[in-house]
Structures are given as structure tokens and as C-alpha cells.
Amino acid sequence: MKRHSSLPLALSAVVLLGCMQSAPAEPTVAMRGRIAFLRCAACHSLGAGEPHKVGPNLRGAIGGSAAQTVGYNYTPALRQAGLRWDDATLKHWIRNPAALVPGTSMAYSNALSETEIEALLVYLKSETQSR
Ligand code: HEC
């Protein structure tokens, strides 16, 4: 009996340690970026081979030319805008898509702070370029 009683305690210690490691007090930039992306995730996937949603899968887009992803029906407005998704253009877009590309179908009103946008860009780049 006595031998068994310490097992649950040992298990909870392991679980507790695991939690402590995965939840640092200060959220990292990558974590803040991941949280900011929740605003985009309803309409955008990021992973290789993941299907488009209302908006295109962003994997090939970040850092590249706009409206190039195969299998997504972009608006003529975005196709003809001739944009390249560098940092400055992405920030402009995230703040107000319709101001950058009048006639775009990306209906999104910015609720992100500049710090959140910076973190979001770090996250987008690491997610779309690392794997
Ligand atoms: C309500 C749905 C919706 C939300 C939310 C949304 N988007 Fe979009 N997004 C779209 C649509 C639709 C398009 C295609 C626009 C077009 O064809 O004019 C698009 C296009 C884009 C493109 C251009 C992709 C390419 O291949 O050129 C980028 C980059 C982008 N979105 C980033 C974001 C980011 C970052 C967020 C979050 C801050 C976000 N979007 C939130 C719907 C959305």
C-alpha cells in the first residue's frame, strides 16, 4: 500500500514541471505573434498543403509577390496591384487592407497594436519559412 501511494505525487510533480517549462512569465515574441495570428486564422492557413479558407493559404505569400498562390481565386484588385509582401507592405495591409488595395475582398479591420503587428510578422515568417 505504502509503495503505491507516492506514484500519483511523482506524476503530479512531472506534470507541474512540464507546465512550468511551457509557460514562461513573459510571453516571447513568437508567442505574442501566435496569439495575434488568431485574428487571421479564421480565414488563413499557414501549413504546407493546408487548404485555403476564405482567404488563401499564406505559406508561399510572405516575402513573395502578391496573389501568386495556385488554386485561390484572388480579386482582380489584388492580382493587379503588383505588390510584394515585404515588412512595410504587410504592415500597411494588416492595418487596413482596403486602403492599400481598394476593391480587395479581405474584410478585416485592424484591432492589433503596432507591437502585436511586429510580433505577428515574426511569427508569420517563422511559420512559413522554417518548415
Ligand atoms: C475575414 C477573413 C480574413 C481575415 C480575418 C484575414 N484575411 Fe487575409 N485575406 C482574406 C482574403 C479574402 C484575401 C484575398 C484578398 C483578395 O483576393 O483581394 C486575403 C489575402 C491576404 C494576403 C495576401 C495573400 C497573397 O497570396 O497575396 C495576406 C498577406 C493576408 N491576407 C494576411 C492576413 C493577416 C496577417 C491577417 C490577420 C491580421 C488576415 N489576413 C486576416 C481574408 C481574411
Side-chain angles (χ1 to χ4, degrees), residues 45-53 57-60 69-70 127 131:
S45 51
L46 286 179
E50 281 178 22
H52 303 306
K53 298 184 179 178
N57 179 318
L58 294 181
R59 189 167 186 80
T69 299
V70 175
E127 280 300 298
R131 280 171 276 147

Side-chain angles (χ1 to χ4, degrees), residues 49-123:
E50 281 178 22
H52 303 306
K53 298 184 179 178
V54 171
N57 179 318
L58 294 181
R59 189 167 186 80
I62 308 304
S65 301
Q68 298 299 310
T69 299
V70 175
Y72 183 80
N73 191 19
Y74 293 96
T75 57
L78 187 59
R79 270 192 265 117
Q80 288 156 19
L83 296 176
R84 193 174 172 77
W85 295 123
D86 56 25
D87 282 14
T89 311
L90 274 170
K91 282 184 194 171
H92 194 163
W93 176 254
I94 292 166
R95 283 187 212 116
N96 191 344
L100 183 66
V101 181
T104 180
S105 55
M106 177 158 143
Y108 170 78
S109 39
N110 179 24
L112 293 170
S113 69
E114 290 303 308
T115 320
E116 286 174 309
I117 292 176
E118 293 285 348
L120 176 57
L121 293 192
V122 171
Y123 175 73

Side-chain angles (χ1 to χ4, degrees), residues 4-70:
H4 294 291
S5 63
S6 63
L7 185 61
L9 189 66
L11 278 178
S12 15
V14 168
V15 169
L16 190 66
L17 260 177
C19 290
M20 284 163 67
Q21 278 167 359
S22 63
E26 281 295 311
T28 61
V29 171
M31 278 172 74
R32 279 190 275 127
R34 185 183 292 267
I35 291 165
F37 185 72
L38 295 176
R39 318 243 187 182
C40 327
C43 299
H44 291 290
S45 51
L46 286 179
E50 281 178 22
H52 303 306
K53 298 184 179 178
V54 171
N57 179 318
L58 294 181
R59 189 167 186 80
I62 308 304
S65 301
Q68 298 299 310
T69 299
V70 175

